[in-house]
Amino acid sequence: MTNLLDFDHDGLAAWCEQRGEKRFRATQLFRWIHQRGARDFGAMSDLAKSLREKLALQAVVQPLPVASEQVSADGTTKWLFDVGAGDAVETVFIPEDDRGTLCISSQAGCAVGCRFCSTGHQGFSRNLTTGEILAQLWFAEHTLRQRLKLKDGERAITNVVMMGMGEPLQNYAALLPALRVMLDDHGYGLSRRRVTVSTSGVVPMMERLREDCPVALAVSLHAPDDALRDDLVPLNRKYPLAELMDACRGYLDRAPRDFITFEYCMLDGVNDGDAHADRLIALVQGRHEATRAGGPVPCKLNLIPFNPFPASGLHRSPAARVTAFARRLQDAGIVTTVRKTRGDDIAAACGQLAGEVQDRTRVAERRGRAAIPIRAVDAASLRAPR
């Protein structure tokens, strides 16, 4: 049985055409699934009876089983979805006065292994399918519409961020059709500005996303130089800052916004000093060795208070230090915000999503053999170039 959540609009049209149906029938079916949240083909009243009979024999709209649901004191909701074979992924809905944001997972676990991220400490099991990515949005949108008693045409989810478990750009083949469904006017009708892909810096796939489906982009930066970033974000060893900054500048040629969002997790005594701030300013203003040749990178800095979890060995920067760091960036003319922590009482905040993962990469075993300390960097070496 074919799961119709695995198709974008063109994919569903091709599938229907192979069964002798015209494209407009696929459009009708697509709307039933994504706009109305329908699973019962018999209830799709404007479809031809012959098509409904074919669908009943050949296809399903397959949601993910909900293993658990938790609601934070601040209204944030976290769902744990069972994706089979001992794996489960987490999805978070963050309600605000003017928007509803859904944070979606793209992998069961993550192979990047950032030091400050609970998902990375869980290891990696597998990529999610397009259907499993979209099933998170499908379930959340239509469940929340009913709970909130929204009228026809009102959306529960206005923004989607691919910031859940996993590195989205390492699952590009499944991600791309999912993004197209989110943007499709016959699907969820979200604007490119309201769909954000967050990446730790998979440079070749950033370049492909720019050409295929340029949505808003957030880059997990977290360090102002290669030496420190190699330790915090191991992918930097493959795609160092000079390459990453070039890819960011190139992405802006097609991006729906005129800036890149850089995410920077504030770690006490690791990356939060004045020297780190000065080095970060130099990086985005084009005075750093990684950007000097290509010039500045238009950006917004999003400072993220670290959300502790067992075994990280890291600590949150004090609030006064975060404020001082932000002020230093702002005084240099860089748009800087401090992310408000949401859902931390149910482990739904940034960096806390862990789910349940059958780790094929044996991260815990490798960490147990030898703990790798974060490299100490002499503050003098972080002086911003003039």
Side-chain angles (χ1 to χ4, degrees):
M1 301 288 277
T2 301
N3 182 8
L4 300 186
L5 289 177
D6 277 319
F7 294 126
D8 61 15
H9 195 175
D10 287 342
L12 185 59
W15 187 84
C16 287
E17 287 167 0
Q18 290 169 3
R19 285 151 184 80
E21 301 293 338
K22 294 182 179 179
R23 184 181 179 93
F24 81 91
R25 292 298 188 193
T27 299
Q28 291 174 315
L29 178 56
F30 196 75
R31 288 173 177 166
W32 274 106
I33 294 169
H34 296 292
Q35 293 187 351
R36 302 190 188 184
R39 294 183 60 198
D40 179 4
F41 300 124
M44 299 180 183
S45 54
D46 59 352
L47 296 184
K49 183 178 178 182
S50 60
L51 175 55
R52 282 181 275 163
E53 291 172 349
K54 287 179 189 177
L55 292 169
L57 293 173
Q58 299 178 29
V60 292
V61 178
Q62 185 63 58
L64 293 173
V66 180
S68 68
E69 177 180 323
Q70 295 175 275
V71 180
S72 167
D74 64 21
T76 298
T77 300
K78 181 175 75 171
W79 293 286
L80 180 70
F81 291 106
D82 184 354
V83 295
D87 291 325
V89 301
E90 293 181 327
T91 307
V92 177
F93 174 67
I94 306 164
E96 298 179 77
D97 291 340
D98 60 344
R99 74 188 69 183
T101 301
L102 190 70
C103 180
I104 293 178
S105 294
S106 57
Q107 297 177 315
C110 184
V112 176
C114 297
R115 298 294 297 271
F116 46 83
C117 179
S118 182
T119 306
H121 279 249
Q122 289 288 97
F124 175 77
S125 181
R126 68 171 177 88
N127 287 326
L128 299 186
T129 65
T130 296
E132 289 168 334
I133 294 171
L134 283 173
Q136 299 168 66
L137 174 57
W138 183 90
F139 172 86
E141 174 65 26
H142 298 295
T143 297
L144 291 168
R145 279 189 197 178
Q146 291 181 359
R147 290 183 184 177
L148 299 173
K149 298 180 180 179
L150 299 181
K151 299 176 183 177
D152 288 345
E154 289 185 313
R155 293 175 181 159
I157 294 163
T158 62
N159 296 64
V160 169
V161 292
M162 298 300 306
M163 295 182 183
M165 296 173 63
E167 164 54 67
L169 294 186
Q170 288 185 337
N171 187 16
Y172 191 78
L175 172 70
L176 184 59
L179 293 177
R180 287 174 171 159
V181 173
M182 295 174 196
L183 301 174
D184 198 301
D185 286 340
H186 299 296
Y188 298 93
L190 298 171
S191 77
R192 293 179 186 272
R193 295 171 61 89
R194 291 181 175 269
V195 176
T196 301
V197 170
S198 176
T199 179
S200 51
V202 188
V203 167
M205 307 318 291
M206 291 169 61
E207 295 168 349
R208 284 191 60 181
L209 185 66
R210 178 192 64 203
E211 300 303 317
D212 294 337
C213 189
V215 293
L217 188 70
V219 174
S220 295
L221 193 58
H222 310 301
D225 61 89
D226 284 321
L228 182 56
R229 196 166 190 269
D230 283 351
D231 282 332
L232 293 177
V233 185
L235 190 68
N236 195 72
R237 300 166 196 166
K238 187 171 185 179
Y239 305 114
L241 281 173
E243 294 182 32
L244 178 59
M245 294 299 111
D246 281 344
C248 288
R249 279 190 296 271
Y251 194 87
L252 287 169
D253 292 340
R254 301 285 301 278
R257 293 178 171 174
D258 57 1
F259 62 88
I260 300 290
T261 298
F262 287 126
E263 297 169 320
Y264 197 96
C265 184
M266 299 293 291
L267 304 170
D268 187 24
V270 175
N271 67 351
D272 63 348
D274 288 347
H276 296 104
D278 291 342
R279 189 75 162 161
L280 185 57
I281 292 165
L283 179 68
V284 302
Q285 289 185 344
R287 296 181 289 106
H288 187 290
E289 60 270 19
T291 50
R292 194 176 292 134
V297 180
C299 67
K300 180 179 82 171
L301 260 294
N302 192 359
L303 305 183
I304 305 171
F306 174 60
N307 295 301
F309 59 91
S312 71
L314 299 167
H315 302 281
R316 177 182 291 189
S317 299
R321 177 89 293 268
V322 176
T323 299
F325 195 95
R327 186 179 299 115
R328 206 171 184 94
L329 299 178
Q330 291 164 346
D331 288 346
I334 299 169
V335 176
T336 305
T337 60
V338 178
R339 180 178 293 177
K340 181 181 178 182
T341 298
R342 297 288 300 270
D344 55 337
D345 57 329
I346 57 170
C350 183
Q352 290 185 312
L353 301 188
E356 297 173 5
V357 175
Q358 303 300 307
D359 178 24
R360 297 181 185 178
T361 52
R362 299 187 296 177
V363 165
E365 178 183 329
R366 289 186 283 113
R367 281 205 171 97
R369 285 200 298 264
I372 305 173
I374 292 178
R375 184 180 303 151
V377 180
D378 180 16
S381 69
L382 294 175
R383 291 197 188 106
R386 301 295 180 188

